[in-house]
Amino acid sequence: MTKAGPILTVVLAIIALWYVACVPMNVQETLTAAERAGVAVSPEGARERAEMGRFALMAQNSGVLGGSWSVDRARLPAPHQIVAELWNSTWNEEVYGRRGLVKSGSLSNKSLIYHGWITLSATVLGFAIGAGLGVLLAVGIVHSKTMDMSVMPWAIVSQTIPIVALAPMIIVVLYSFGIQGLIPKAVISAYLSFFPVVVGMVKGLRSPDAMQLDLLRTYNASKSQTFWMLRLPSSVPYLFTSLKVGIAASLVGAIVGELPVQRGGLGARMLGGSYYGQTEQIWAALFFAAAMAALLVALIGWIEGKTLKRMGVQA
Amino acid sequence: MSVIEAKALNLTFQSNDGPIQALRDVNLNIEKGDFVSFIGPSGCGKTTFLRCIAGLEHPTSGTLTVNGMTPDEARKARAYGYVFQAAGLYPWRTIGGNIRLPLEIMGFSKSDQAERVRKTLDLVDLSGFEKKFPWQLSGGMQQRASIARALAFDADILLMDEPFGALDEIVRDKLNEALLKLWARTEKTIGFVTHSIPEAVYLSTKIVVMSPRPGRITDVIESTLPRERPLDIRDSAEFIQIAHRVREGLRAGHIDD
C-alpha cells in the first residue's frame, strides 16, 4: 500500500487542475447561461463578450463563476459531469433505457457498452492478425538475410504514413471488394499492431548470445531445433512487451477505422459527439476507450506473469 | 592411439587492423585417456585451438583430425562434449531439463533420457536437484550441471574452456578434485583450457604451454605425477618442479615480445 499515496496524490492534483481549468475554458458559456437565467452579467450580450478575453470576463463576473462546472455542452466538462455521463450511457441506458438490455433484450445503440463491444471485437481480431503476422515476419527476418533486407525497411516505412490518412483508403479499397464492417477495421488495427511485434520479436529471437548458439552447434542441432529450443523461449519476454504495445495500438487502429464509417463503435461515438457539440459524450467515450486499453494491457500482463512463472523465472 | 592430431596448424583471423595470426605451426598429439591442459596468457590461442578441435573455428592451413575424422565430421558425429566458461544453462528449463537438452536434440528415447539424466546427475553429485531451476543453484553447482550436460550423451572426448575460471578458489579446488574422480571413472579424453598453473599441474597428464602474438606452443610437459592425486599432492616436490617448468615456459614465451 506504500504506492497508493503517491498515485493518489497525482490523481488528485490532475482532478484539481481540471476543475480550475474549467473556469476560464467555460466562461463564455457560463455567462450566457447566467444571462438567460436573468442574472446581471457585464458586458451584456454574447457577441460583446466574445470580443473580450477570458480572464477579463472572469474578473468582471466573479460572482457567477460557480456555474462553470455545470454548464450544458461545456467546452471542458468537469470530471463529475463526465462520470455522470459515463454512468448514464452505461448502467442507466442499459437498465432503464427504452432500448436498453433490460427492456429490449439487446444492447442499446446509445450505450457505451454497445459501442465498446464493437470496438473491442475489431481490436481483438486486428490484434490477432497483427500479432500473428508480426511473429511470422520476425521468424522470416531472423532466418533469411533477404527478408531482413527487403521486409524490414517496408515495415518501418509503413509506420511513417499517418494512419488517419491511410484508414479511409483501406476502407474504400476493401469496400470495392465487397468487404465491410468488422474486417476493414481489423485490418487497420493489424496494420498498427504488427510493427511493435515484429521489432520486439526480431530482437527477442536474436537475443541468444554466441555461446548459447555455439553450444547447440556442438550438438549439431538443426535450424528448427535451435529455433524451438533456444530462440523461441528466449524471445518470450520480448514478445510480451511488444504485445502490450501492440494491443494498445490495435485499439487506436479500431477507433480510427470507425471515424469515417459511422456505423457504431467508440470512434463513431467520439466523432458524433464532436458533430453535435456533445463534449461530455466525447470525453466519456475517450475514458471508456482508455479503460478498455488499460484492461487489455493488464490482461496481457497477467498472461505474461503466468507464462514466465511456468518458465521458471524467479518470482 | 591418437585421438586428436594436429599437424602444422595455422589460423589467421582477418580483423580491421589487418590479419591476426591466432595459431602458428601448432603440432600436437593427444592420446586416448589423456588429460591435456592448455595454459598461457590471454591471446595465446588456447581457446581458439580448442574451438578448432570442436569444429567451431576452421584452421587456415595444416591438418587436424579428431577420432581420425575432420573436426566438422567429428562434431556431426557428436564426438565430444563441450563445457564453456559460463554454465549457460537455460533459465526456463530445470536442471534435469537442461541435461536432457542434448539428448532431445540427438533423439534419444524418453526412457533412455531419464536414465542418462539420473546417471550424469549422480556423476556430478547433483542427485536430488533434477527439478530445481538454475537460479536456485550456486555458481559451482550450475557449472557441475553444465558438465553433466556435456557428459550426458557419452562422447569420448570432453573439451572444457576455462570451466572454473569464474568460480572462487575454494569451490574450484573441490571441482578440480571431483573432475579428476570423474575422469578416472569415465576414462574420457579431456582437453582443458586454463590460466591457472596449479590447476593445470594438478589435473593434467600433459600440459601444453602456449604464448601469444602469434599464438603457438612453447612447451609440452608430460606429467610424472601418478593418476591418483589427492589434493595435498600439490605440496610435493614433484608437483612444485612441474609447476616451475610451466612457469619457465610461460616466461620464455614472454621474452620474445
Side-chain angles (χ1 to χ4, degrees):
Chain A
M1 287 314 283
T2 49
K3 282 190 221 158
I7 293 173
L8 212 62
T9 310
V10 171
V11 169
L12 287 176
I14 291 172
I15 292 175
L17 208 65
W18 190 316
Y19 274 107
V20 172
C22 284
V23 180
M25 284 297 288
N26 299 337
V27 68
Q28 303 278 4
E29 290 79 4
T30 310
L31 296 183
T32 306
E35 196 173 33
R36 263 189 216 139
V39 182
V41 294
S42 72
E44 281 178 22
R47 186 160 297 174
E48 281 73 23
R49 287 194 297 274
E51 312 270 298
M52 290 181 63
R54 297 169 191 281
F55 292 99
L57 285 175
M58 281 163 65
Q60 286 177 23
N61 300 286
S62 54
V64 295
L65 291 178
S68 303
W69 300 299
S70 51
V71 190
D72 202 22
R73 299 189 178 195
R75 291 214 179 158
L76 179 63
H80 67 266
Q81 290 178 291
I82 297 168
V83 170
E85 167 70 17
L86 271 170
W87 182 251
N88 286 332
S89 57
T90 52
W91 180 261
N92 284 351
E93 178 64 28
E94 294 297 357
V95 175
Y96 305 113
R98 188 169 51 82
R99 286 183 279 189
L101 189 60
V102 173
K103 292 199 175 143
S104 73
S106 62
L107 288 171
S108 162
N109 66 354
K110 281 170 79 185
S111 89
L112 283 174
I113 298 170
Y114 167 81
H115 293 285
W117 173 251
I118 291 177
T119 305
L120 183 68
S121 38
T123 301
V124 170
L125 180 62
F127 174 69
I129 298 170
L133 186 71
V135 170
L136 285 181
L137 282 177
V139 171
I141 285 168
V142 168
H143 283 97
S144 150
K145 184 91 186 152
T146 321
M147 267 193 82
D148 188 11
M149 308 264 283
S150 57
V151 174
M152 207 54 180
W154 288 107
I156 293 165
V157 166
S158 75
Q159 301 303 303
T160 61
I161 303 165
I163 192 65
V164 208
L166 198 66
M169 287 194 269
I170 293 177
I171 289 165
V172 168
V173 168
L174 287 178
Y175 184 78
S176 69
F177 289 107
I179 302 165
Q180 53 177 322
L182 182 65
I183 302 289
K185 291 192 284 177
V187 168
I188 295 164
S189 283
Y191 185 88
L192 284 188
S193 60
F194 89 97
F195 185 68
V197 177
V198 170
V199 174
M201 233 5 221
V202 166
K203 176 101 180 142
L205 291 173
R206 285 191 177 144
S207 65
D209 59 25
M211 194 209 89
Q212 286 176 312
L213 292 170
D214 276 346
L215 179 71
L216 289 187
R217 275 186 70 197
T218 70
Y219 301 148
N220 195 27
S222 69
K223 264 196 166 183
S224 76
Q225 285 172 328
T226 308
F227 177 78
W228 290 108
M229 291 183 182
L230 176 61
R231 288 192 190 274
L232 196 65
S234 305
S235 72
V236 168
Y238 295 84
L239 174 66
F240 276 108
T241 307
S242 39
L243 287 183
K244 282 186 201 164
V245 180
I247 199 150
S250 196
L251 183 70
V252 172
I255 289 174
V256 171
E258 284 158 358
L259 294 178
V261 182
Q262 291 299 305
R263 289 258 174 80
L266 293 175
R269 187 84 175 165
M270 285 176 204
L271 201 65
S274 81
Y275 282 158
Y276 302 111
Q278 297 285 356
T279 45
E280 286 167 22
Q281 186 186 314
I282 303 175
W283 282 98
L286 210 116
F287 276 102
F288 199 81
M292 257 170 58
L295 277 176
L296 289 171
V297 171
L299 179 70
I300 291 183
W302 182 78
I303 298 170
E304 178 184 24
K306 286 274 170 200
T307 311
L308 292 183
K309 205 174 168 196
R310 273 196 61 190
M311 286 175 70
V313 172
Q314 195 169 349
Chain B
M1 184 198 120
S2 279
V3 173
I4 296 163
E5 210 173 338
K7 270 191 206 128
L9 211 63
N10 285 287
L11 195 154
T12 309
F13 288 118
Q14 297 302 331
S15 80
N16 290 334
D17 312 325
I20 293 171
Q21 201 167 21
L23 291 174
R24 188 167 77 184
D25 194 30
V26 170
N27 293 287
L28 189 72
N29 273 342
I30 297 177
E31 306 295 320
K32 187 165 169 45
D34 266 353
F35 195 127
V36 183
S37 283
F38 300 91
I39 187 164
S42 47
C44 73
K46 53 192 194 293
T47 294
T48 307
F49 183 55
L50 203 72
R51 288 174 63 85
C52 283
I53 297 172
L56 297 174
E57 305 283 352
H58 296 97
T60 333
S61 69
T63 57
L64 177 62
T65 58
V66 179
N67 284 343
M69 297 178 270
T70 68
D72 265 329
E73 286 167 355
R75 177 170 66 80
K76 284 170 187 156
R78 286 135 178 179
Y80 64 85
Y82 201 105
V83 180
F84 292 86
Q85 179 167 9
L89 301 171
Y90 289 0
W92 58 85
R93 281 176 176 250
T94 60
I95 296 302
N98 269 287
I99 296 168
R100 218 175 297 119
L101 176 73
L103 303 175
E104 284 172 15
I105 289 172
M106 297 176 191
F108 286 82
S109 73
K110 278 263 183 294
S111 56
D112 199 10
Q113 286 179 19
E115 173 61 20
R116 280 167 185 271
V117 168
R118 195 195 55 72
K119 215 172 63 188
T120 41
L121 274 175
D122 180 53
L123 213 54
V124 297
D125 215 6
L126 278 179
S127 300
F129 288 90
E130 185 175 347
K131 300 242 155 54
K132 293 269 190 280
F133 279 102
W135 60 270
Q136 294 170 300
L137 270 63
S138 70
M141 287 161 96
Q142 289 188 24
Q143 196 54 278
R144 260 151 57 197
S146 91
I147 293 171
R149 183 178 58 186
L151 291 171
F153 49 98
D154 248 336
D156 291 336
I157 305 170
L158 188 59
L159 302 174
M160 308 177 87
D161 183 8
E162 291 189 49
F164 309 139
L167 304 174
D168 68 63
E169 197 155 342
I170 301 162
V171 177
R172 210 176 181 160
D173 277 352
K174 268 191 149 166
L175 289 183
N176 281 340
E177 210 180 358
L179 182 60
L180 274 187
K181 284 205 187 104
L182 196 147
W183 173 61
R185 270 174 74 181
T186 57
E187 299 179 323
K188 294 200 186 297
T189 310
I190 299 182
F192 188 94
V193 167
T194 178
H195 44 219
S196 152
I197 297 174
E199 190 171 67
V201 178
Y202 177 66
L203 292 173
S204 320
T205 55
K206 188 186 268 200
I207 303 158
V208 179
V209 183
M210 299 182 75
S211 72
R213 286 178 294 272
R216 63 199 185 280
I217 296 176
T218 48
D219 197 5
V220 178
I221 302 161
E222 301 284 346
S223 178
T224 50
L225 294 174
R227 285 212 163 203
E228 188 84 12
R229 298 172 189 182
L231 266 177
D232 53 19
I233 205 170
R234 294 183 297 185
D235 301 321
S236 71
E238 209 176 350
F239 187 97
I240 291 164
Q241 206 179 349
I242 298 170
H244 179 74
R245 192 172 148 195
V246 174
R247 201 168 287 115
E248 288 292 305
L250 290 172
R251 199 171 297 151
H254 264 284
I255 289 167
D256 290 6
D257 280 352

